[in-house]
């Protein structure tokens, strides 16, 4: 498969990633800003709940909307998702108290993301076979590029026009760019399924699918800890100036753009699990190495390396699940269940990290927490690979 129509879907899905994961990937900027300004009396753990709820709902939404995608309601999902996202951002711009931020930025924006995210993954699977991983890689770069541009927009505009109008500007950008998927995204074939199920528990009888779902639970519990806290870490533990610290998150996201393309190109040839497994262990090692970083240069190098490997790590689960669930008629349900499991990990990972940070664990406890979780993700990913193809390293998985 391929052609102009297929690549148009890639462009539309790219925009969906740009406006969902791109905003989630910038939450570290909000985390730092809230702690020093609007929500300075709230703990780091409490503030991180806003971003965690938002990120959890992108996955929970996938579980809820999956059957509706399978039934052909793509246009409705895109319309509802765009409205909820833009409305939630507009409401965030006028928030004053903690619970207002939770409801507007966490819940309302998160619900919008949930409607938009699953179509961005599922639609590409209908148009590609041999180049599926690289197509997903290109789509997922939308999340990293959004994670570069949105923090810079916030950094440049907030001192000049204030928090409210900066967030409204981001909402307007989302609204305009959403015209691409609203006008260009199309189901390849009408759905043949009449199922209204939200769960297909028989999928868990497949050991590779079950083990990989567990791997994503631990992986997403740990992977975004760095995104949320790297700027705050640099300000507290290194001599970096505040202006440069604000660019650490864009550096991670810029590096992750490359990480979503090059490894995904090889994933089409080797199989996604053969990339996912070593990258999970490398990320775990990097998190333990983070403990020793004391300088500005070290922080930048860490962000570049972490971003590269994290880019592939977060972009491959969708295509991996599809490779383990070949029945495209119910791919929405299969993806939705796996997203829900990953979302549960993402929901609690960052608040726990924040509690560790301000408790007795400090920064070392947070870094060890992150490293252990990613190591567990690597172990279960390896187990999934072995369950699928055995112990032969050269086998495609």
């Amino acid at each position: 498969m391929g052609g102009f129509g297929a690549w148009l879907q890639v462009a539309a899905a790219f925009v969906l990633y740009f406006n969902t994961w791109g905003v989630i990937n910038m939450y570290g900027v909000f985390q730092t800003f809230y702690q020093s300004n609007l929500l300075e009396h709230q703990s780091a753990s409490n503030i991180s709940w806003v971003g965690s709820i938002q990120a959890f709902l992108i996955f929970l939404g996938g579980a809820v909307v999956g059957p509706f995608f399978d039934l052909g309601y793509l246009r409705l999902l895109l319309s509802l998702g765009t409205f909820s996202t833009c409305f939630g951002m507009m409401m965030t711009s006028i928030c004053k108290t903690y619970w207002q931020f939770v409801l507007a930025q966490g819940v309302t924006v998160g619900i919008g993301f949930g409607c938009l995210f699953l179509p961005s993954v599922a639609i590409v699977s209908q148009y590609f076979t041999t180049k599926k991983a690289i197509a997903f890689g290109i789509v997922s770069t939308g999340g990293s590029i959004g994670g570069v541009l949105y923090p810079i927009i916030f950094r440049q505009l907030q001192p000049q026009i204030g928090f409210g109008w900066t967030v409204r500007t981001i909402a307007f950008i989302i609204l305009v760019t959403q015209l691409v998927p609203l006008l260009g995204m199309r189901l390849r074939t009408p759905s043949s399924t009449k199922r209204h199920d939200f769960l297909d528990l028989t999928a868990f009888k497949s050991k590779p699918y079950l083990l990989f779902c567990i791997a994503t639970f631990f992986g997403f519990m740990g992977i975004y800890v760095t995104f949320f806290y790297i700027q705050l870490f640099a300000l507290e533990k290194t001599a970096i100036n505040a202006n440069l610290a604000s660019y650490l998150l864009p550096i991670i996201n810029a590096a992750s753009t490359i990480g979503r393309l090059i490894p995904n190109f090889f994933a089409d040839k080797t199989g996604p699990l053969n990339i996912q497994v070593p990258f999970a262990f490398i990320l775990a090692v990097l998190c333990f190495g983070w403990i020793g970083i004391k300088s500005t240069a070290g922080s930048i190098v860490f962000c570049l390396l972490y971003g590269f490997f994290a880019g592939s790590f977060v972009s491959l689960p969708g295509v991996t699940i599809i490779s383990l669930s070949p029945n495209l008629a119910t791919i929405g349900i299969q993806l939705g269940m796996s997203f829900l499991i990953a979302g549960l990990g993402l929901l609690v990972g960052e608040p726990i990290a924040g509690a560790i940070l301000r408790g007795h664990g400090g920064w070392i406890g947070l870094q060890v927490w992150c490293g252990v979780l990613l190591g567990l993700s690597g172990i279960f990913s390896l187990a999934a690979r072995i369950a699928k193809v055995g112990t032969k390293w050269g086998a495609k998985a």
Side-chain angles (χ1 to χ4, degrees):
M1 301 181 198
F4 175 78
W7 290 105
L8 177 60
Q9 306 312 304
V10 170
F14 172 94
V15 173
L16 294 181
Y17 257 81
F18 182 85
N19 289 328
T20 56
W21 284 108
V23 176
I24 289 174
N25 286 341
M26 75 166 292
Y27 187 76
V29 173
F30 286 109
Q31 177 84 21
T32 303
F33 181 79
Y34 291 159
Q35 283 192 234
S36 59
N37 291 276
L38 298 179
L39 300 174
E40 57 187 332
H41 299 299
Q42 295 289 332
S43 68
S45 180
N46 283 347
I47 294 172
S48 69
W49 273 110
V50 178
S52 291
I53 290 171
Q54 184 184 82
F56 167 69
L57 287 174
I58 197 174
F59 286 120
L60 177 62
V64 173
V65 308
F68 294 100
F69 178 88
D70 290 334
L71 291 169
Y73 293 106
L74 172 63
R75 190 71 47 222
L76 176 63
L77 294 176
L78 294 176
S79 300
L80 289 176
T82 300
F83 172 79
S84 184
T85 298
C86 293
F87 178 73
M89 292 299 289
M90 289 293 185
M91 292 299 100
T92 300
S93 72
I94 60 175
C95 289
K96 302 297 182 183
T97 64
Y98 174 69
W99 283 109
Q100 290 174 343
F101 283 102
V102 170
L103 293 175
Q105 189 174 10
V107 177
T108 307
V109 175
I111 289 172
F113 287 174
C115 292
L116 298 176
F117 173 52
L118 184 133
S120 70
V121 178
I123 198 75
V124 175
S125 69
Q126 295 187 345
Y127 282 81
F128 288 87
T129 52
T130 58
K131 297 181 179 179
K132 192 174 292 184
I134 188 61
F136 273 109
I138 294 171
V139 167
S140 69
T141 60
S144 56
I145 292 174
V148 172
L149 295 181
Y150 281 131
I152 293 175
I153 290 169
F154 187 94
R155 169 66 182 173
Q156 294 300 317
L157 293 183
Q158 190 278 323
Q160 300 180 44
I161 63 176
F163 173 81
W165 274 108
T166 299
V167 175
R168 286 175 214 132
T169 300
I170 293 173
F172 283 125
I173 293 172
I174 294 172
L175 180 61
V176 172
T177 53
Q178 278 297 113
L179 292 174
V180 177
L182 284 169
L183 297 176
M185 189 167 273
R186 296 287 185 273
L187 290 169
R188 183 170 178 268
T189 56
S191 176
S192 60
T193 182
K194 301 299 181 184
R195 296 181 62 177
H196 294 74
D197 299 336
F198 290 92
L199 295 174
D200 179 13
L201 298 180
T202 60
F204 293 116
K205 294 180 180 179
S206 167
K207 286 185 179 180
Y209 179 86
L210 174 61
L211 290 168
F212 188 71
C213 284
I214 298 173
T216 61
F217 173 79
F218 288 117
F220 279 87
M221 191 185 292
I223 191 71
Y224 281 100
V225 171
T226 302
F227 286 73
F228 276 42
Y229 289 101
I230 186 63
Q231 183 177 341
L232 187 62
F233 166 82
L235 289 171
E236 290 190 1
K237 303 299 288 186
T238 73
I240 195 170
N241 66 67
N243 183 58
L244 182 55
S246 69
Y247 285 93
L248 290 179
L249 191 56
I251 288 172
I252 289 181
N253 285 303
S256 76
T257 302
I258 302 173
R260 294 166 193 255
L261 291 174
I262 297 177
N264 286 50
F265 173 80
F266 290 103
D268 276 321
K269 304 178 185 298
T270 66
L273 272 175
N274 282 335
I275 301 295
Q276 193 87 17
V277 171
F279 277 30
F281 287 119
I282 291 171
L283 285 165
V285 171
L286 285 172
C287 286
F288 287 113
W290 185 14
I291 296 173
I293 293 175
K294 306 296 181 185
S295 66
T296 299
S299 296
I300 294 172
V301 171
F302 170 79
C303 288
L304 287 169
L305 291 173
Y306 191 88
F308 175 81
F309 290 105
S312 181
F313 182 88
V314 300
S315 67
L316 283 176
V319 70
T320 302
I321 290 295
I322 289 170
S323 72
L324 298 175
S325 307
N327 183 11
L328 293 182
T330 57
I331 190 59
I333 296 172
Q334 302 289 332
L335 285 169
M337 292 192 304
S338 65
F339 290 163
L340 177 58
I341 292 170
L344 289 171
L346 190 52
L347 176 66
V348 300
E350 283 68 42
I352 293 175
I356 293 172
L357 174 63
R358 297 313 179 200
H360 297 296
W363 282 108
I364 292 178
L366 179 146
Q367 292 154 338
V368 170
W369 166 251
C370 186
V372 168
L373 291 172
L374 289 166
L376 287 171
S377 179
I379 291 171
F380 280 99
S381 294
L382 178 60
R385 184 199 178 277
I386 293 173
K388 182 181 179 183
V389 297
T391 57
K392 186 179 180 181
W393 177 247
K396 185 175 182 178

